Each structure stands twice: as structure tokens, then as C-alpha cells.
């Protein structure tokens, strides 16, 4: 055999192995191990048979097979990423916005030119995958067509053997590639049906809200703060890596609040998202509808469904949003009905950012208090405030973790500059998964301590807080492999108030006394929260 023919044979074998690897590799990084690759895919035999026709027909079939093979590769890569972050597979319909979000992130990180270059490189990568699939199948077609009759006999024989293995339920006979593509096709159909169903749900009249005079009557004159804590999930109470520190902290907080006359009740909510996409949780809690994908969220934003914020405003509250992570135009804010939105630029923070985190939670709460609850005009008018507040210090990369200081020293936030440049860089922290989880825990401790300290320093008889997590952290923190358990989406929720009438009103909720929810505490879906608040704190219509 000549050197050129020898090299050609090696290339052909490599191409065949590449096709097999593409067909059998799992779509989750945690599922990739040696035994998962010891399977024989039916699709390889079918592709071989379809490549046998010569001429133009063979060329057309080759292009079709290349497109399907490339599509499978792209979907598997996308699945690996979304399982890693959101603990679910990629959805071709409602995950398309992730590319736009990624471009916005790159624009801020490396500029428009750099972001455009990355977009071009991604497009070239997709084209390279398609071209590579076409080339690989061309090598296989060339080998098979040397002797069509022998190839057909071998492939049919292999198909018969595979069928025997399949019907005796051997784990070595695989149709994983077909199942993977079929699952994504079903996702597209299910998503289309879901969009239609959700739009019909939005069109229904919301019959829950009572008349203006009775709406939230039991909270009249109270300042109501709905505080979302980033990535505050049930894992901090269930995971033995976090619970030994977080559970005692919540118990101590219960006692410290009690010394100031505050009482707490705690339970769990099931969030519509995991690992990120916090706005889906905000939309779910505020609208009373299950918002588990971007298309539902977009539909909600242009609907007339009254948000919890709008209902409070209708009943006489001044409604504000405190969103320190908002650094661009936020047209979605119009849906919620805030009278004022505090973002990263108008909260008055003059300190350095904590990497992605624009400002520490303590400054967020201090700035809100100074601009709203302590404002003389608001106090003289006796106008209660309903605020939706997002605390983001527990957002990745969890370094550096801020430290509480005296509230009177917060000022314009420049006092935090030394903290903002302290500690290890994200690159250093993210080299070690154990270190990642440590930093996450410390950030949750900081967020909880900040909220408790705020209540004990500024709380009064008219303060009511509803503190809840937006979602569980990413699987890199929870340790999930992508196979979600029944509690994998659960987040803690706490009601804190000094007025005993507020606490008595929620007795039928059967939430656990204190800040530490019992393991068997009630678990509601997050979309139940809005209507529960309306029903509990409003007087019945006459």
C-alpha cells in the first residue's frame, strides 16, 4: 500500500470514528464517561445505507445527513451549556434571546467591535460544523461506494444484529441521537402550544382583586418591601456544605429580630427557573402567572394583567423598584407600574463595583431608605411605600464578598472601595469548585445579615418585609447533575413584621415560626404568592 493510500485509509477511519462519537456522546457533561461511549448507534447503519445511492441523489442525501448531523452537534453543545447553568436542555424557541443577552454582555465587557468579532466567529463555527459534517460523510460515502453490494450486505447484517441487541434490551444498542433530535422537535411543538395556551390565559379577566377600598386593607399605612435575594435557594438549608452555617444564622436572626419586637414566619416557594433568569421569578411572583420562559415573559410584558405592584398602587401605595443590576434601558419596567425605578445609575453609588455586582446590598438598602422611607415629604404625607427590591451581592462570581459596616458610614458608597478590590479575582476563585461554593455561602450569609441588620436599625411598627429567593443557584453550586429533584427549584421565603396583626393574618398559611423554615414547611408555587397576599390582607367585598 502506498503512503498516500495508507494516509487516506487513516483519514477515513478517523472520519468514521468522528461520526460514531458525534452520534453517541451525551448532551450533558456530567453524563460523559467511558461506559457511556461503549454503545453502538443505529443511526450509523441508517446513515451508511442512505449514503449508498450514487450520483446526484447521493449528493443530496449527503447534504441532508450533514445538516442533521451538524444540527445534532449544535444542539448537544447548547444543551451542555444550559444544563450547566439552568439545569435543563436548550429550547430552540424560547432560548434564542440568550444570544442577544450574550451580545449585550460582550458589548459591555469587550466593546461593540469585540462583540461583533465574537458573533462572526460563532457564525463561522456553525458553518465549519456543517462543512465538517459534509466532509466526514463524504469520506464515509467514498469508502462505502467502493463496493456498494458488499457495503449494503454488511450494513444490513449490522442492522439485523443491532435489532437483536435492541429487542433483548441491551444497553449497547443506542438510538440516542434520534431521541435527542426528536426531543428538540417536540420542544418546538410543545412551546408553540404553550404560547397559544398562555396567551389565552392572559386574555382572561383577573377576577381575584377586590375593590380599591378593600384591597390590602390589613396592610394600610404599612411600608411593604418585597425583597428578592439573588440565588437564595433551598440548597443553603439542605446541602450539608451550607446548612451548618446558614441554619444557625437564621436561628440567631430570629432571636435578634425578636429582641427588637419583630416576628418572622417562613416557608418555601417553587421558582420557575434555576441558576439564572431572575426576571422570570420576578414576573411570576408579581403577576401570579407561571413565567418559566422568555416568550411567556415577553407576552406578559405587553399584557394588561395587573401586577402586584399595580394593585398596591391602586390601593394607595407609592410603588418603586430598586434594581441595582439594571444598567441599560428597561422598558419592561412599564408593565409593573412603578412610580419610580432606582437603577445602577440613580441610586447615588460612587464606589467601585464588586466585579459584576454594581454595588453591595447594604448600600442598596441604605440608599432606598434615605430616598423613600426617610424622605420628609413621604413621611408627612403618610403615603406608604411598596417596594420591589433586588439584592445582588449573592450573584456570581461571589468575589469579593462585601462586609457589613456601620449604617451611618455608608454615605455615597465610596467607603466600600477597599472591599471592592480585596480578595481573590473571579479567575482564581473559579479554578476550584469547593472555593466557588464557599464564596457562594459567604455571599448568602452577607445578604441575610444585611437584611436583618437593616430591619433592626430602621424597622418600625409600619414595616413589613417579604424576603424570598429568586431561584436556586447553578448546578455547579447545588451539585445537581441536571436531573432535577422535587425540591430542586424551591427557595425560602420569610415574612417579617412587628405588628402582631400582620402575623396573625397569615396563621392559616402554617409557615414555620422564625426565620428557619422546617423541612416540611408548606411549599407553594411562586405564582400562588400574589393571590395569597391579596386574599389574606384584603377585606372581603360586600
Amino acid at each position: 500500500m502506498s503512503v498516500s493510500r495508507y494516509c487516506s485509509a487513516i483519514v477515513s477511519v478517523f472520519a468514521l470514528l468522528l461520526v460514531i462519537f458525534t452520534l453517541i456522546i451525551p448532551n450533558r457533561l456530567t453524563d460523559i464517561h467511558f461506559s457511556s461511549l461503549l454503545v453502538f448507534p443505529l443511526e450509523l447503519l441508517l446513515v451508511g445505507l442512505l449514503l449508498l445511492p450514487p450520483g446526484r441523489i447521493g449528493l443530496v442525501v449527503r447534504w441532508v445527513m450533514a445538516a442533521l448531523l451538524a444540527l445534532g452537534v449544535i444542539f448537544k453543545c447548547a444543551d451542555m451549556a444550559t444544563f450547566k447553568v439552568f439545569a435543563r436542555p436548550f429550547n430552540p424557541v424560547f432560548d434564542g434571546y440568550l444570544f442577544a443577552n450574550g451580545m449585550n454582555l460582550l458589548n459591555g465587557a469587550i466593546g461593540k467591535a469585540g462583540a461583533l468579532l465574537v458573533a462572526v466567529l460563532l457564525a463561522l463555527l456553525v458553518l465549519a460544523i456543517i462543512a465538517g459534517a459534509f466532509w466526514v460523510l463524504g469520506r464515509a460515502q467514498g469508502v462505502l461506494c467502493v463496493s456498494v453490494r458488499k457495503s449494503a450486505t454488511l450494513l444490513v447484517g449490522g442492522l439485523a444484529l443491532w435489532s437483536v441487541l435492541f429487542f433483548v434490551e441491551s444497553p449497547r444498542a443506542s438510538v440516542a441521537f434520534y431521541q435527542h433530535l426528536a426531543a428538540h422537535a417536540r420542544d418546538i411543538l410543545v412551546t408553540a402550544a404553550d404560547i397559544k395556551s398562555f396567551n389565552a390565559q392572559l386574555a382572561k379577566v383577573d377576577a381575584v382583586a377586590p375593590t380599591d377600598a378593600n384591597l390590602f386593607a390589613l396592610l394600610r399605612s404599612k411600608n411593604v418591601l418585597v425583597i428578592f435575594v439573588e440565588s437564595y435557594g433551598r440548597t443553603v438549608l439542605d446541602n450539608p456544605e451550607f446548612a451548618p452555617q446558614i441554619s444557625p444564622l437564621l436561628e440567631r436572626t430570629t432571636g435578634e429580630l425578636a429582641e427588637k419586637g419583630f416576628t418572622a414566619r417562613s416557608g418555601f416557594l417553587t421558582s420557575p427557573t434555576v441558576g439564572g433568569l431572575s426576571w422570570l421569578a420576578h414576573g411570576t411572583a408579581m403577576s401570579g402567572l407561571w413565567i418559566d420562559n422568555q416568550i411567556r415573559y415577553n407576552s406578559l410584558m405587553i399584557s394588561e394583567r395587573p401586577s402586584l405592584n399595580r394593585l398596591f398602587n391602586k390601593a394607595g401605595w407609592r410603588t418603586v423598584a430598586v434594581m441595582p443590576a439594571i444598567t441599560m434601558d428597561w422598558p419592561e419596567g412599564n408593565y409593573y407600574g412603578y412610580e419610580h425605578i432606582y437603577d445602577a445609575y440613580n441610586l447615588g453609588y460612587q464606589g467601585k463595583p464588586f466585579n459584576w455586582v454594581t454595588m453591595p446590598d447594604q448600600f442598596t438598602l441604605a440608599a432606598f431608605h434615605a430616598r423613600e422611607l426617610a424622605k420628609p415629604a413621604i413621611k408627612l404625607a403618610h403615603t406608604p411605600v411598596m417596594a420591589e427590591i433586588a439584592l445582588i451581592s449573592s450573584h456570581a462570581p461571589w468575589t469579593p464578598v462585601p462586609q457589613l459596616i456601620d449604617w451611618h458610614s455608608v454615605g455615597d458608597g465610596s467607603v466600600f472601595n477597599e472591599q471592592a478590590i480585596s480578595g481573590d479575582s473571579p479567575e482564581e476563585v473559579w479554578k476550584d469548585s469547593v472555593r466557588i461554593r464557599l464564596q457562594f455561602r459567604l455571599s448568602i450569609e452577607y445578604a441575610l445579615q444585611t437584611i436583618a441588620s437593616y430591619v433592626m436599625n430602621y424597622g418600625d411598627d409600619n414595616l413589613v418585609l417579604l424576603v424570598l429567593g429568586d431561584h436556586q443557584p447553578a448546578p455547579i453550586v447545588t451539585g445537581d447533575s441536571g436531573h432535577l429533584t422535587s425540591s430542586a427549584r424551591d427557595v425560602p421565603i420569610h415574612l417579617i413584621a412587628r405588628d402582631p396583626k400582620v402575623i396573625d393574618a397569615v396563621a392559616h398559611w402554617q409557615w414555620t415560626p422564625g426565620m428557619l423554615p422546617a423541612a416540611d414547611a408548606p411549599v407553594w408555587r411562586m405564582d400562588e404568592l400574589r393571590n395569597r397576599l391579596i386574599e389574606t390582607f384584603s377585606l372581603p367585598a360586600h
Side-chain angles (χ1 to χ4, degrees):
M1 180 182 293
S2 66
V3 174
S4 60
R5 291 185 64 185
Y6 181 75
C7 291
S8 179
I10 292 177
V11 171
S12 297
V13 170
F14 171 77
L16 178 62
L17 293 175
L18 195 59
V19 172
I20 294 174
F21 181 77
T22 300
L23 294 174
I24 65 175
I25 187 172
N27 64 336
R28 294 172 178 153
L29 291 172
T30 53
D31 288 346
I32 299 176
H33 44 78
F34 183 72
S35 62
S36 69
L37 304 179
L38 297 178
V39 295
F40 190 80
L42 167 67
E43 297 89 351
L44 181 67
L45 300 171
L46 297 179
V47 167
L49 288 171
L50 290 172
L51 288 175
L52 288 178
R56 184 171 297 178
I57 294 177
L59 183 62
V60 171
V61 169
R62 179 180 164 192
W63 271 115
V64 172
M65 293 297 102
L68 291 174
L69 193 63
L71 189 63
V73 170
I74 293 169
F75 278 164
K76 284 187 177 185
C77 291
D79 284 352
M80 290 176 187
T82 53
F83 269 117
K84 193 71 175 174
V85 179
F86 305 126
R88 61 167 177 78
F90 176 78
N91 185 297
V93 179
F94 63 67
D95 280 339
Y97 76 95
L98 291 174
F99 297 107
N101 284 0
M103 285 296 293
N104 289 333
L105 182 63
L106 288 171
N107 277 336
I110 59 177
K112 290 185 177 180
L116 181 61
L117 177 60
V118 171
V120 170
L121 290 175
L122 284 175
L124 291 175
L125 177 61
V126 170
L127 293 176
I129 291 173
I130 297 172
F134 184 75
W135 173 81
V136 165
L137 293 179
R139 299 295 305 192
Q141 191 176 41
V143 172
L144 292 171
C145 289
V146 170
S147 177
V148 174
R149 181 174 296 179
K150 288 182 180 179
S151 296
T153 301
L154 183 63
L155 290 169
V156 171
L159 187 59
L161 177 60
W162 185 95
S163 300
V164 171
L165 291 174
F166 179 79
F167 284 111
V168 299
E169 298 183 351
S170 170
R172 301 306 170 203
S174 168
V175 289
F177 192 80
Y178 160 76
Q179 291 171 333
H180 178 242
L181 286 180
H184 281 293
R186 285 194 301 271
D187 282 347
I188 294 173
L189 297 176
V190 169
T191 302
D194 178 72
I195 294 169
K196 184 177 180 180
S197 172
F198 183 68
N199 287 335
Q201 191 177 1
L202 279 176
K204 294 179 180 178
V205 176
D206 180 22
V208 176
T211 61
D212 295 5
N214 296 330
L215 190 57
F216 302 121
L218 299 182
L219 293 174
R220 197 73 66 197
S221 78
K222 306 295 185 189
N223 295 311
V224 179
L225 314 186
V226 180
I227 301 178
F228 287 85
V229 179
E230 173 66 37
S231 299
Y232 179 37
R234 186 168 185 160
T235 189
V236 301
L237 304 177
D238 293 346
N239 191 322
E241 202 166 351
F242 309 132
Q245 288 77 32
I246 302 296
S247 294
L249 170 61
L250 290 173
E251 290 178 331
R252 288 195 304 273
T253 300
T254 301
E256 292 168 353
L257 290 173
E259 290 177 4
K260 295 290 186 177
F262 285 90
T263 303
R265 294 289 184 269
S266 301
F268 293 104
L269 300 177
T270 300
S271 174
T273 183
V274 170
L277 314 183
S278 303
W279 54 91
L280 302 185
H282 285 249
T284 296
M286 296 295 107
S287 72
L289 296 174
W290 190 248
I291 312 298
D292 62 348
N293 62 67
Q294 189 66 26
I295 291 178
R296 280 192 167 216
Y297 183 79
N298 292 343
S299 299
L300 176 68
M301 292 300 105
I302 60 174
S303 76
E304 296 183 1
R305 169 81 172 187
S307 69
L308 186 66
N309 323 75
R310 284 191 183 277
L311 293 175
F312 267 99
N313 186 253
K314 181 181 179 182
W317 271 259
R318 170 176 165 79
T319 52
V320 302
V322 185
M323 302 289 168
I326 299 296
T327 58
M328 298 184 295
D329 289 340
W330 190 43
E332 295 93 331
N334 294 327
Y335 161 76
Y336 292 101
Y338 312 115
E339 290 185 51
H340 189 76
I341 298 173
Y342 293 101
D343 57 28
Y345 300 112
N346 63 6
L347 270 170
Y349 185 64
Q350 299 300 313
K352 297 179 182 294
F354 285 62
N355 286 307
W356 181 91
V357 176
T358 55
M359 62 192 72
D361 291 345
Q362 186 176 15
F363 180 86
T364 299
L365 290 177
F368 157 74
H369 188 82
R371 285 160 174 74
E372 290 294 332
L373 303 192
K375 193 189 306 183
I378 296 293
K379 296 176 75 174
L380 288 174
H382 301 292
T383 304
V385 174
M386 184 273 180
E388 181 185 349
I389 303 174
L391 298 185
I392 59 173
S393 288
S394 49
H395 191 288
W398 306 303
T399 181
V401 177
Q403 300 295 318
L404 271 173
I405 63 173
D406 184 272
W407 288 88
H408 299 292
S409 302
V410 170
D412 64 2
S414 56
V415 68
F416 293 105
N417 283 347
E418 186 174 344
Q419 292 187 27
I421 60 175
S422 65
D424 292 331
S425 66
E427 292 79 11
E428 185 65 28
V429 169
W430 282 67
K431 290 177 181 178
D432 181 4
S433 60
V434 174
R435 180 69 187 283
I436 292 172
R437 293 192 291 274
L438 170 62
Q439 293 295 120
F440 163 77
R441 174 177 63 78
L442 293 175
S443 71
I444 292 294
E445 290 180 20
Y446 166 75
L448 294 173
Q449 290 167 347
T450 299
I451 294 169
S453 180
Y454 171 79
V455 173
M456 289 183 282
N457 278 273
Y458 296 112
D460 56 24
D461 292 348
N462 289 326
L463 183 66
V464 176
L465 289 87
L466 200 63
V467 179
L468 63 152
D470 52 5
H471 53 72
Q472 288 264 51
I476 193 172
V477 173
T478 62
D480 297 328
S481 62
H483 306 275
L484 294 180
T485 62
S486 59
S487 62
R489 294 182 181 270
D490 291 353
V491 297
I493 181 169
H494 316 284
L495 177 70
I496 304 171
R498 181 181 278 171
D499 188 342
K501 293 179 182 178
V502 174
I503 300 300
D504 292 343
V506 302
H508 63 287
W509 290 1
Q510 298 183 323
W511 284 10
T512 305
M515 290 289 289
L516 179 62
D520 60 350
V523 180
W524 304 342
R525 286 206 339 172
M526 194 174 280
D527 55 344
E528 296 179 48
L529 180 62
R530 168 187 175 271
N531 290 357
R532 296 261 192 172
L533 291 172
I534 295 170
E535 293 164 357
T536 299
F537 294 110
S538 302
L539 293 175
H542 295 296

